[in-house]
Amino acid sequence: MSVDPLDARILELFAAEPRVGVLEASRRLGVARGTVQARLDRLQRDGVVRGWGPDIDTTAIGYPVTAFATLQIEQGSGHTTVAAALARIPEVLEVHTITGAEDLWCRIVARSNADLQRVIDQVVIVRGIQRASTVIALAEQIPHRVLPLVEAATKN
């Protein structure tokens, strides 16, 4: 699936103002309402747009500590089984299978450094995890973003 410059403009507008509405978006972009709706439907159907939910600031809901953990799992444990167990820990926000000495990478949040220890303790008791290494994020320099990538994709 490729995106064109109009797709990029639509995505940029809805990323900045998710509640803008299709009619207002068509007015601002200077295209027909049906065009905007059809593009949004296609982008969602093709998996480019994964959701329309709010972007939640974890600090604002009481979880100001962010940490990243790499996990080594026992051979034969299976990534899927371990990831399913990690998904039951609310403070584990993301889990990715990775290459290298470790097997999984996790983004974790906590209420404090002491609370982070509680979360890490929950993580390391998951059956199949052999070893964990954790680092605490001091500051977010670049928040999660994809719009520059969308813009770059329109040029290929």
Side-chain angles (χ1 to χ4, degrees), residues 38-99:
R39 296 284 185 119
L40 286 172
D41 291 344
R42 180 180 50 81
L43 291 167
Q44 191 167 10
R45 182 186 66 245
D46 291 348
V48 174
V49 174
R50 295 191 298 187
W52 300 100
D55 184 11
I56 298 167
D57 182 343
T58 57
T59 298
I61 62 169
Y63 293 86
V65 177
T66 298
F68 300 96
T70 54
L71 308 175
Q72 191 174 60
I73 63 173
E74 295 171 359
Q75 296 301 310
S77 294
H79 294 84
T80 306
T81 303
V82 172
L86 292 170
R88 291 191 287 276
I89 303 170
E91 295 87 353
V92 175
L93 303 183
E94 293 179 66
V95 177
H96 298 266
T97 299
I98 60 172
T99 62

Side-chain angles (χ1 to χ4, degrees), residues 71-138:
L71 308 175
Q72 191 174 60
I73 63 173
E74 295 171 359
Q75 296 301 310
S77 294
H79 294 84
T80 306
T81 303
V82 172
L86 292 170
R88 291 191 287 276
I89 303 170
E91 295 87 353
V92 175
L93 303 183
E94 293 179 66
V95 177
H96 298 266
T97 299
I98 60 172
T99 62
E102 281 76 26
D103 300 299
L104 298 172
W105 175 91
C106 305
R107 182 163 60 110
I108 299 168
V109 294
R111 294 185 181 278
S112 65
N113 286 351
D115 187 49
L116 178 60
Q117 181 63 60
R118 176 192 61 79
V119 177
I120 292 169
D121 288 346
Q122 286 185 309
V123 168
V124 297
I125 65 169
V126 168
R127 183 177 177 92
I129 294 180
Q130 276 185 320
R131 181 173 170 8
S133 178
T134 307
V135 295
I136 297 174
L138 299 177

Side-chain angles (χ1 to χ4, degrees), residues 22-42:
V22 175
L23 185 59
E24 179 61 18
S26 69
R27 189 187 65 74
R28 290 188 195 182
L29 296 169
V31 297
R33 181 200 166 287
T35 300
V36 173
Q37 186 64 60
R39 296 284 185 119
L40 286 172
D41 291 344
R42 180 180 50 81

